[in-house]
Amino acid sequence: MKILHLINSLATGGAEKLIVETIPLYREKGIEADVLLLNGTEHPLYKELQENSCCRIFSLGQTSVYNPMLIGKIIPYLRNYDLIHVHLFPAQYFAIAAKRLSFSKKPFLFTEHSTSNRRFISKKYKLADQIIYNSYSNIICITNNVKEAVLRQTRMRTAKLTVIENGINLEKVNNASPYPRAALDPQLSEKDFLLLQVSSFQEPKDQPTLIRSLYHLPDHVKLLLAGDGILRKECEQLVQELNLQHRVFFLGLRNDIPSLLKSCDIIVLSSKYEGLSLSSIEGMASGKPFVASEVPGLSDVVGGAGVLFPQGDDQKLAEEILQLLNDREHYAAVAERCKIRASQYDIHKMVDQHIALYRKLMSK
């Protein structure tokens, strides 16, 4: 069986990271899986997959992923694969346009990674979404909440929706080694209490709430932000406005996230919403307490294990961090519950479910 994964790029993001983590596992199970990128810029995740030498990586160039001319460039790749597995918008729309223009009868599968997006919020996209989503043989929804959101937007038959929860490579996180503080940044010392958020700098991730929480916390509490994106400069400006330059450290794109997690004291994700956040699962698997905003895609994963705070409430977030900082028994109990919860999200289980669905679609 030959599978082509089509995605916008291998820049930072949960869907992109999932591609890099799963392709080698498909290969181990006898599935030939390759990747087609609308934009083939060699980001760290691209290089990580390339160095693994487990698949072919095709690129349609390094222009905007929203260029409709990419549709025609997708078509020649379709004939070489048994099934096309698509991730993210606009690859989601372009894939179906390429399918129709080429009269392809092969199964096309799409993974919906989020409970919310701009198209779901705006009614003007509803008809287009109904056409596009219903053109796929099956939609993988990464949680039941995602499935409900897709049903509301598209009116699809439930038989075409399959819930498969994302997973992480637990062994990679468990086996990672922490860095000395000075290796993270020369300004850090072993006396510092480190917070870490791993996420792209986009509006839904809401780093400003986490940055503002430092204003309510002792000076030895420092924040590391791993990732990049269009809102990074705004966050850097906020840090300057609050005079927190000596307490907030921007790490950029990293491919050593497990070691970063092991190097910090508390992992935080202050998002406004999520699908099924791989960052949250990795954070919980690290053996450190995980603190997240109480929003769809986080409350159901983190609730009862980690600590939840009202979204956007920087003062309440600071209070939760202080309690973990000052109460070691509470700290240890939350960390242990998080590790147990993360163990439920093994990437091998997810890959087996994907392969079972591939075979089911191929049999039809």
Side-chain angles (χ1 to χ4, degrees), residues 217-334:
L217 292 165
D219 282 348
H220 74 287
V221 178
K222 308 290 176 66
L223 170 61
L224 307 183
L225 295 170
D228 207 349
I230 58 174
L231 297 182
R232 174 171 169 168
K233 289 188 181 298
E234 289 186 19
C235 289
E236 290 173 340
Q237 175 142 13
L238 176 62
V239 168
Q240 291 180 351
E241 291 171 359
L242 297 176
N243 196 27
L244 294 171
Q245 297 94 316
H246 63 298
R247 297 178 62 193
V248 181
F249 301 85
F250 294 84
L251 304 183
L253 295 175
R254 303 287 292 249
N255 57 6
D256 58 347
I257 298 303
S259 288
L260 289 180
L261 295 169
K262 290 289 187 72
S263 304
C264 297
D265 297 292
I266 295 176
I267 317 302
V268 184
L269 192 57
S270 56
S271 301
K272 296 180 179 179
Y273 58 83
E274 290 284 348
L276 177 57
S277 167
L278 295 178
S279 291
S280 67
I281 300 169
E282 284 187 331
M284 290 192 293
S286 69
K288 305 298 174 69
F290 189 82
V291 181
S293 46
E294 191 168 4
V295 296
L298 285 175
S299 56
D300 48 344
V301 176
V302 180
V307 176
L308 296 171
F309 72 95
Q311 193 279 316
D313 191 337
D314 54 277
Q315 185 160 352
K316 183 62 176 175
L317 171 56
E319 291 173 6
E320 298 292 358
I321 292 170
L322 271 177
Q323 186 178 1
L324 288 165
L325 190 159
N326 294 324
D327 186 340
R328 301 311 294 177
E329 288 187 6
H330 176 56
Y331 181 100
V334 172

Side-chain angles (χ1 to χ4, degrees), residues 16 38 66 180 296:
E16 295 86 346
L38 299 187
Y66 296 97

Side-chain angles (χ1 to χ4, degrees), residues 6-21:
L6 173 60
I7 191 168
N8 299 341
S9 72
L10 287 178
T12 183
E16 295 86 346
K17 183 176 178 61
L18 205 62
I19 292 286
V20 175
E21 295 280 359

